[in-house]
Amino acid sequence: MKKIKLAFRIVIDHSSEMIWDRYVFDDTYFEYKIQHQVFDDKENPVKNYWELLQKNPGAKQIPFLLSGAASNYVSQLGGVIRSLPDVLGSTFFPFANFKLDLISSHLEDSSKHKIGLTFFSSELLLIDIIDNKYLLSQEVNQDNGWETFMLPFHPQIAIAYYQKI
């Protein structure tokens, strides 16, 4: 058996349709425009994030600063991604924390704003893999006899931490 942490990543951009995604998009873009101006050179300004990063390495803080704009929305999820149920539809993808990465953005063109949100589970016990499904338990410190759930493989889920026990 192994202890693992799973990661689930979503990308949010101008074409995202879910209302939650739209709120995250709007608030992170608003915050991006503020932070872009903070890190930009007043004498020789640039418009997009990658140019800004080349001119001012301190701009690498921007994704962390945008996390604050997303954190209230993430807290609304209550620690679970409901769009990722287990095979019975009753246990959802549990997460303990998240990380925001800024894929691209532009000061004057919101259609170029794109972020990634990666949600990380707490430690889980990986008991087995059966028919492209993870057999998991949240009871990582028991020696035997676990409450389990099965989570199907998903293209946006990866094992982010692995420990052989």
Side-chain angles (χ1 to χ4, degrees):
M1 282 185 277
K2 290 101 183 151
K3 287 183 181 180
I4 64 169
K5 291 182 184 179
L6 296 175
F8 170 67
R9 185 168 191 261
I10 61 171
V11 173
I12 298 174
D13 64 14
H14 75 284
S15 66
S16 297
E17 294 180 358
M18 290 179 52
I19 191 72
W20 187 88
D21 294 1
R22 293 298 312 160
Y23 286 139
V24 172
F25 176 86
D26 290 343
D27 283 5
T28 58
Y29 183 61
F30 179 79
E31 183 65 24
Y32 172 77
K33 291 189 296 184
I34 292 169
Q35 296 303 330
H36 184 107
Q37 292 175 24
V38 169
F39 289 96
D40 204 0
D41 180 357
K42 307 300 183 233
E43 305 300 317
N44 192 9
V46 295
K47 300 296 181 197
N48 77 53
Y49 175 61
W50 294 107
E51 288 176 320
L52 180 64
L53 204 52
Q54 286 180 334
K55 291 184 86 170
N56 183 349
K60 67 184 175 200
Q61 299 173 57
I62 291 177
F64 172 76
L65 298 168
L66 296 185
S67 294
S71 64
N72 288 334
Y73 299 106
V74 170
S75 68
Q76 292 173 3
L77 299 176
V80 292
I81 305 293
R82 298 202 180 280
S83 61
L84 291 173
D86 71 355
V87 297
L88 299 176
S90 58
T91 301
F92 303 98
F93 182 87
F95 70 91
N97 53 27
F98 79 101
K99 179 182 176 189
L100 182 145
D101 60 287
L102 181 56
I103 299 166
S104 65
S105 200
H106 192 280
L107 187 59
E108 297 171 348
D109 185 355
S110 66
S111 72
K112 294 190 167 108
H113 184 69
K114 185 184 275 192
I115 62 166
L117 291 176
T118 305
F119 299 90
F120 297 95
S121 73
S122 56
E123 259 186 8
L124 299 167
L125 186 64
L126 175 61
I127 299 167
D128 205 348
I129 294 178
I130 303 168
D131 293 331
N132 293 325
K133 296 169 191 75
Y134 302 103
L135 178 60
L136 301 165
S137 177
Q138 292 180 332
E139 301 168 345
V140 294
N141 294 319
Q142 282 188 211
D143 291 331
N144 60 22
W146 307 275
E147 292 277 332
T148 64
F149 64 102
M150 293 185 83
L151 192 66
F153 284 2
H154 188 282
Q156 293 167 271
I157 293 179
I159 295 175
Y161 170 82
Y162 177 94
Q163 178 187 359
K164 210 172 192 178
I165 54 174

